[in-house]
Amino acid sequence: MKLNTLFVASVCAAALFASCNPKTATENQLKYTHTSLADGDAFHFFQVVGGKLVFEADYAASVEKSASSDKDKQLAAKVKEVYGAILPVFDSLATANQVDFPIKGAAKFTEVAADSTHAATAHTADYAQHVQHETAVVKDLFERLSHNTNVGLRNFAAENLEKIAEIYTLAGGKAEAHAHH
């Protein structure tokens, strides 16, 4: 009789400990509630920057091919290089923090959208102004993320902030200026 009680108690304890696995809890959290592991600031960063990185990298590739001025081509090449290098790491961080990437509902680059909304390929000032504005937003969010409590995100922001600032200054922004909207 005591052996049966001991066996049932051990089976119940094993089931209880197996259900308390943090990895299982994390997987179930995402599976059933669609919540992420990123805090509010980090989630906002993923949503805004995630959409801009993909759009701007594609836009830069188009401008690099079709621009008539060397300044546009040079700026577009830099944007494509920096954002293209950031995207794989960004994707890994989004996956680790359980944020859907690519961002659902983010603007997709098309040649028609570029011509109708940002006639930027026609004049250097237009494309440079567009890059300066969009990069200012990205730069501001990278600066905010560099103070996040998540060490991985904080390190990612610190490693890439200088590259983003370089694009901003190349597009005509002032290095000490904050993002303009």
Side-chain angles (χ1 to χ4, degrees):
M1 180 90 155
K2 289 183 181 185
L3 197 54
N4 287 341
T5 305
L6 185 60
F7 177 73
V8 170
S10 64
V11 168
C12 290
L16 176 66
F17 287 128
S19 69
C20 295
N21 182 353
K23 184 172 171 70
T24 304
T26 301
E27 290 171 0
N28 287 340
Q29 177 185 7
L30 179 63
K31 183 177 175 183
Y32 297 119
T33 64
H34 301 289
T35 58
S36 79
L37 300 177
D39 63 10
D41 287 338
F43 188 79
H44 178 69
F45 170 83
F46 279 115
Q47 293 297 301
V48 174
V49 174
K52 289 190 182 299
L53 287 178
V54 173
F55 183 89
E56 294 301 322
D58 292 343
Y59 190 20
S62 174
V63 169
E64 188 179 28
K65 290 180 205 167
S66 65
S68 57
S69 78
D70 288 338
K71 188 174 181 182
D72 275 352
K73 288 182 181 185
Q74 194 175 29
L75 180 58
K78 186 66 175 177
V79 169
K80 189 174 88 170
E81 173 194 335
V82 171
Y83 287 176
I86 290 174
L87 277 169
V89 180
F90 188 91
D91 184 29
S92 298
L93 283 172
T95 302
N97 287 281
Q98 297 181 348
V99 176
D100 291 335
F101 185 75
I103 305 304
K104 292 178 179 144
K108 304 274 189 251
F109 176 79
T110 62
E111 296 295 329
V112 174
D115 291 340
S116 65
T117 60
H118 300 292
T121 58
H123 303 289
T124 300
D126 291 342
Y127 181 67
Q129 185 178 11
H130 168 80
V131 170
Q132 182 181 350
H133 180 269
E134 296 302 317
T135 305
V137 173
V138 171
K139 182 176 164 243
D140 181 53
L141 290 171
F142 265 89
E143 286 171 354
R144 289 174 186 243
L145 191 68
S146 69
H147 302 292
N148 197 285
T149 56
N150 183 318
V151 176
L153 295 176
R154 190 171 55 225
N155 292 340
F156 170 72
E159 291 168 3
N160 293 294
L161 187 56
E162 188 176 316
K163 297 173 191 171
I164 301 296
E166 184 180 345
I167 292 173
Y168 182 69
T169 55
L170 190 62
K174 297 195 183 326
E176 66 278 353
H178 294 289
H180 73 281
H181 299 271

